Amino acid sequence: MNRKSILRSIIPIALVALAAPAFADDVTDNLQITGQVMPGCELQITPLSNLEIHSLALSHTAASPTGIGARCNTGTAYDISPGDGLNYGLNPDYPNHRALAGPGFYLAYTLHKDAVGGEAWGPGADQISGVGNGDWQFMPYSVVFLGANKANNGFYSDDIQVTLTY
């Protein structure tokens, strides 16, 4: 066999070897997933509405059936505080109290941190504190109406802004 014929027989083999696929080892890397659970809370308030206030009593207590609820994720500290209401101090007999506005009269009341009119719940810095566990946590509250015997018959109302801070 001459040199040309050897080359002619080797060249097709070389071309096939070059065209054959090359196999590589597997290459891996990690997909990292990270996240941070942020503090979060919800506020739920059961209003006291359509109450029948006993007008001949010097004071009358009404309690919310479920109270004020906070649902915060586990470990989140929170505070719940009430505002003054729309009519604070407008009853001249009770100048340092919240009041319901009604027909020509302001019916004074106090807000309490329990269902029986015990510990008063003042405005501003006075707060209920807790730590979330992921479930709803309800705190009772009540209202004690003062001097209802001096109030005119009719419908009375007030709105208090309640703030949950976490």
Side-chain angles (χ1 to χ4, degrees):
M1 218 192 239
N2 69 18
R3 194 177 195 179
K4 254 183 177 179
S5 18
I6 293 176
L7 283 175
R8 281 186 193 146
S9 62
I10 294 177
I11 288 178
I13 295 171
L15 289 175
V16 170
L18 290 177
F23 294 99
D25 289 334
D26 290 337
V27 177
T28 62
D29 199 356
N30 293 328
L31 168 64
Q32 185 178 31
I33 300 172
T34 63
Q36 179 179 358
V37 175
M38 302 300 293
C41 291
E42 293 179 281
L43 179 64
Q44 178 181 333
I45 301 172
T46 304
L48 283 174
S49 56
N50 298 318
L51 298 174
E52 291 184 13
I53 301 167
H54 302 289
S55 60
L56 294 180
L58 295 178
S59 70
H60 174 82
T61 302
S64 171
T66 56
I68 295 175
R71 186 170 73 106
C72 299
N73 61 317
T74 300
T76 299
Y78 63 87
D79 299 314
I80 299 173
S81 56
D84 289 340
L86 300 176
N87 311 302
Y88 187 87
L90 294 180
N91 182 312
D93 293 335
Y94 300 94
N96 297 316
H97 289 76
R98 296 175 177 97
L100 302 175
F105 189 80
Y106 291 97
L107 178 57
Y109 68 92
T110 55
L111 187 62
H112 296 266
K113 296 179 182 180
D114 56 32
V116 294
E119 184 181 358
W121 194 11
D126 194 8
Q127 57 200 18
I128 294 174
S129 299
V131 177
N133 63 7
D135 294 324
W136 282 103
Q137 297 171 313
F138 287 93
M139 284 83 33
Y141 75 92
S142 60
V143 173
V144 175
F145 298 101
L146 307 168
N149 59 323
K150 294 183 179 181
N152 299 320
N153 293 336
F155 182 77
Y156 288 78
S157 68
D158 190 22
D159 287 319
I160 297 175
Q161 182 174 348
V162 177
T163 303
L164 184 147
T165 306
Y166 61 94

